[in-house]
């Protein structure tokens, strides 16, 4: 009866709590929707300011593949042999691409057209990255919530939605693998942590499927399959092994590896390459620990000690055997079982020493300190506070966050492209830090304000207290008398009632203790208000920086360039102008040679066959093009003619000041070409160790094909031949081309296209030699004296 009355009394008090929770859930859902809208809309500056166009270089290949998929279907896509690239070798597309992005955009296009929404493939490709940035923000909320609660999750999601590092790879038009891969990365981590917290096989299965999507989307999946084993090993070493850890990891290794092997570009590399060996080693260690913990509960201490001796002996023998086999397999590989990019991450100097093709890519260079401030801004100062918050208290989920951050910081310091992997970790730790800070500050203000109000009410109520003191004393005395009578009538209470009281005291002691600890961390009211304002101002600076980065720094498509001057905005559309000329003025089967940076764009926009492109899978082929560009005109003509090349395209920025032109990339052509063809030596193109194209340049540099194709007729622009990128006048101004002829130069001289002159008719030359002996002999002698380097 008493319990029923207590429940009835507690029901009205619980109703406001349920109402508050329901309102909080609705507000949280509404906030997440707003965060998704923010993440999507902040990436639309490129479309609003310019136009709906594909950006950069690699996205054009992805767009071309998506076009083929939507037109021909999935089966034709898997079997597609592309003869427009890497002539005369070609490329099997289905077996050499990560198909996640293409299949995702193709599915979206199929779905919207099934709903009678007439969107083109290009429109879907342009907006795929902003859509998935919203998904990534929601995945970040889920991951952070599992570690530190809803408030930290909302804060981290809002920060990720507009962090510049992620915006740089997910603006509208940036149709690259990272557009969907970051969502897959964060969502896989969320499902792993969720499984770790719940021990659910359902979430473990979803985790393996999410990992499969990540494998389909990006080669950076190796970061996942190495980070999670590191965390599992950390938990084992620190004595945090549990059945939940086993459920979170074992299905991921088995199902994830089997599913990864289904991706053609990965195949058996999922079990044969060194990037995956750590996951298998930790998998074995996990089973040994699980077996030991299992038999410990079954055996007596004496038998357990004997069994442990046997297990350790056998285990060490098996471990040494496995390690010996792995060492033998790895030692037989020239790269020790690692890919070139993986080795460049482990050893930052490896690429520059042995693989210049990897080192030549700008996004593979180490970042500078300003790039950290540009890409994560104030998060760099909030991350240390987030790390401290993760240790108060330390859990499996929070330890995973710290480990994720530490590894991401290292890899981002090796390769600027991996700043993208650091961004979610920095946002999560910063969200945790801000949430904890706001929690302390707002709780302090609430406590101090309530204390002020209580003191004020106590002062105003002193008079009434004195007036009613006599009646209160009488009432208390009567109550005490009634209590003594009841105690005499009931000599003893039931033991069950005593036990219930004790349990109630124990359960109420915990929140009382936590309340006491919270009161110890209360700050003065003035400090709390100032701290809150400072954090709001800091967040305002972050928002302003993110909007500026999205609108100015990362919104301009590389294929359409702009600059501002006193006359206003200048638009340089030379790339599309050149590709349009190739498409309309050359034959369909003509081959175009250029440096590999422009291969994807040439194939996608001009629909012409290229010799090399951005896939960079064949180093010898790229070295051949680099050797041609580094050679004298006649030798270069012979190389291009042997490849059936009809047109040569070069990018030149000396007139308008475009720094990413072929002259600035030329030394990489020399290094890559010299790696395969030893007669190309870098010192021959340097004067006292300096790379110059002015009057101090070496004769080898002034007579190579790249110099001639870029600076041909350049002196006619201003009469001096002043290069605005290099900042001085060129060395060789007046020269003629003997084996190439200029066929097209864009409006701002940014793209120049040359055609190979046809070979002379050898039969007519031989007849002419027979008819005029002395004349022809003198002509041949003059020809022998001609220096092809001039």
């Amino acid at each position: 009866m008493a319990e029923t009355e207590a429940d009835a009394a507690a029901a009205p008090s619980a109703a406001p709590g349920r109402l508050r929770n329901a309102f909080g859930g609705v507000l949280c859902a509404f906030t997440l929707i707003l965060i998704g809208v923010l993440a999507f809309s902040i990436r639309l500056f490129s479309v609003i300011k310019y136009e709906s166009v594909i950006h950069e270089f690699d996205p054009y290949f992805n767009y071309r593949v998506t076009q083929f998929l939507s037109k021909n279907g999935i089966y034709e896509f898997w079997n597609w042999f592309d003869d427009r690239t890497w002539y005369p070798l070609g490329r099997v597309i289905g077996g050499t691409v990560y198909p996640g992005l293409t299949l995702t955009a193709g599915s979206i296009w199929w779905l919207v057209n099934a709903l009678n929404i007439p969107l083109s493939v290009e429109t879907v490709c342009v907006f795929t990255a902003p859509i998935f940035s919203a998904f990534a923000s929601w995945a970040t909320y889920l991951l952070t919530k599992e570690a530190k609660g809803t408030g930290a999750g909302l804060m981290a999601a809002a920060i990720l939605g507009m962090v510049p590092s992620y915006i740089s790879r997910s603006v509208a038009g940036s149709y690259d693998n990272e557009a969907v891969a970051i969502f897959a990365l964060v969502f896989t981590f969320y499902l792993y942590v969720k499984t770790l917290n719940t021990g659910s096989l359902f979430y473990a299965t979803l985790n393996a499927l999410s990992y499969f999507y990540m494998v389909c989307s990006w080669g950076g999946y190796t970061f996942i399959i190495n980070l999670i084993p590191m965390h599992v090993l950390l938990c084992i070493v620190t004595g945090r092994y549990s059945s939940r850890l086993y459920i979170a990891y074992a299905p991921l290794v088995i199902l994830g590896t089997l599913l990864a092997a289904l991706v053609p570009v990965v195949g058996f590399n999922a079990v044969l390459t060194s990037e995956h060996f750590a996951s298998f080693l930790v998998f074995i260690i996990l089973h040994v620990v699980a077996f030991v913990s299992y038999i410990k509960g079954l055996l007596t201490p004496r038998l357990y000690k004997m069994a442990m001796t046997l297990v350790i002996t056998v285990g060490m023998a098996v471990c040494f055997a496995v390690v010996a086999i792995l060492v033998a397999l790895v030692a037989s590989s020239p790269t020790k079982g690692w890919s070139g990019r993986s080795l460049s991450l482990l050893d930052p100097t490896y690429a520059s020493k042995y693989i210049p093709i990897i080192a030549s890519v700008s996004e593979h260079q180490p970042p500078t300190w300003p790039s950290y401030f540009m890409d994560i801004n104030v998060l760099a100062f909030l991350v240390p506070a987030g790390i401290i918050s993760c240790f108060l208290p330390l859990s499996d989920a929070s330890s995973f966050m710290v480990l994720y951050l530490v590894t991401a910081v290292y890899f981002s310091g090796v390769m600027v492209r991996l700043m993208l992997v650091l961004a979610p970790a920095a946002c999560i730790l910063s969200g945790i830090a801000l949430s904890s800070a706001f929690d302390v500050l707002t709780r302090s203000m609430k406590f101090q304000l309530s204390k002020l109000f209580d003191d004020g009410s106590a002062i105003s109520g002193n008079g009434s207290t004195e007036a009613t003191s006599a009646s209160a004393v009488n009432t208390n005395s009567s109550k005490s008398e009634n209590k003594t009578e009841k105690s005499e009538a009931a000599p003893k209470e039931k033991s069950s009632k005593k036990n219930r009281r004790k349990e109630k005291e124990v359960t109420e002691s915990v929140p009382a203790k936590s309340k006491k600890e919270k009161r110890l961390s209360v700050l003065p009211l003035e400090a709390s208000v100032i701290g809150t304002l400072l954090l709001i101002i800091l967040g305002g600076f972050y928002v302003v920086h993110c909007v500026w980065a999205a609108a100015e720094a990362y919104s301009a498509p590389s294929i359409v360039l702009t600059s501002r001057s006193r006359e206003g905005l200048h638009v340089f559309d030379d790339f599309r102008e050149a590709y349009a000329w190739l498409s309309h003025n050359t034959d369909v089967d003509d081959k175009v040679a250029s440096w590999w940076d422009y291969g994807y764009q040439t194939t996608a926009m001009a629909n012409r066959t290229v010799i090399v492109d951005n896939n960079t899978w064949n180093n010898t082929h790229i070295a051949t093009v680099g050797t041609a560009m580094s050679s004298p005109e006649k030798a270069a003509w012979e190389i291009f003619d042997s490849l059936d090349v009809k047109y040569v395209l070069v990018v030149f920025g000396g007139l308008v000041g475009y720094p990413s032109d072929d002259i600035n990339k030329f030394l990489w052509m020399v290094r890559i070409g010299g790696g395969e063809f030893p007669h190309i030596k870098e010192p021959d193109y340097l004067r006292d160790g300096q790379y110059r194209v002015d009057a101090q340049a070496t004769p080898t540099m002034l007579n190579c094909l790249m110099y001639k194709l870029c600076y041909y007729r350049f002196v006619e622009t201003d009469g001096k031949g002043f290069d605005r990128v290099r900042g001085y006048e060129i060395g060789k101004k007046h020269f003629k081309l003997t084996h190439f002829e200029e066929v097209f130069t864009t409006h701002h001289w940014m793209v120049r296209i040359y055609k190979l002159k046809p070979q002379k008719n050898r039969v007519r030359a031989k007849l002419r030699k027979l008819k005029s002996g002395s004349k022809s002999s003198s002509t041949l002698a003059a020809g022998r004296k001609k220096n092809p380097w001039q």
Side-chain angles (χ1 to χ4, degrees), residues 5-19:
E5 292 177 356
D7 294 340
S13 62
R18 289 197 297 266
L19 182 62

Side-chain angles (χ1 to χ4, degrees), residues 658-720:
Y658 176 60
S660 299
D661 62 353
D662 284 342
I663 291 294
N664 276 355
K665 299 174 184 177
F666 178 66
L667 280 185
W668 288 112
M669 304 182 194
V670 174
R671 292 165 186 163
I672 295 171
E676 296 289 336
F677 303 98
H679 68 278
I680 301 294
K681 296 179 176 61
E682 183 178 353
D684 294 341
Y685 300 85
L686 305 177
R687 174 71 70 181
D688 297 329
Q690 294 184 351
Y691 175 54
R692 309 181 65 90
V693 293
D694 59 356
Q696 301 297 321
T698 62
T700 307
M701 180 66 215
L702 296 176
N703 290 283
C704 69
L705 180 67
M706 178 57 68
Y707 181 93
K708 288 189 172 183
L709 296 187
C710 288
Y711 291 113
Y712 178 65
R713 296 195 306 109
F714 181 58
V715 70
E716 299 175 9
T717 58
D718 60 356
K720 299 179 180 179

Side-chain angles (χ1 to χ4, degrees), residues 589-606:
D589 296 328
D590 286 344
K591 284 75 178 176
V592 180
S594 65
W595 192 231
W596 61 263
D597 289 19
Y598 320 107
Y600 279 164
Q601 289 184 350
T602 305
T603 308
M605 302 189 71

Side-chain angles (χ1 to χ4, degrees), residues 89-155:
L89 305 175
R91 178 184 175 187
V92 179
I93 299 297
T96 58
V97 297
Y98 290 95
L101 175 68
T102 302
L103 295 178
T104 300
S107 300
I108 296 174
W109 177 84
W110 176 85
L111 178 62
V112 296
N113 280 271
L115 297 175
N116 291 324
I117 302 175
L119 292 181
S120 65
V121 175
E122 183 181 9
T123 302
V124 172
C125 294
V126 167
F127 291 100
T128 295
I131 291 172
F132 272 83
S133 65
F135 294 164
S137 299
W138 295 336
T140 303
Y141 161 76
L142 295 174
L143 175 58
T144 314
K145 179 185 176 183
E146 286 297 317
K148 285 295 180 179
T150 303
L154 291 174
M155 194 69 70

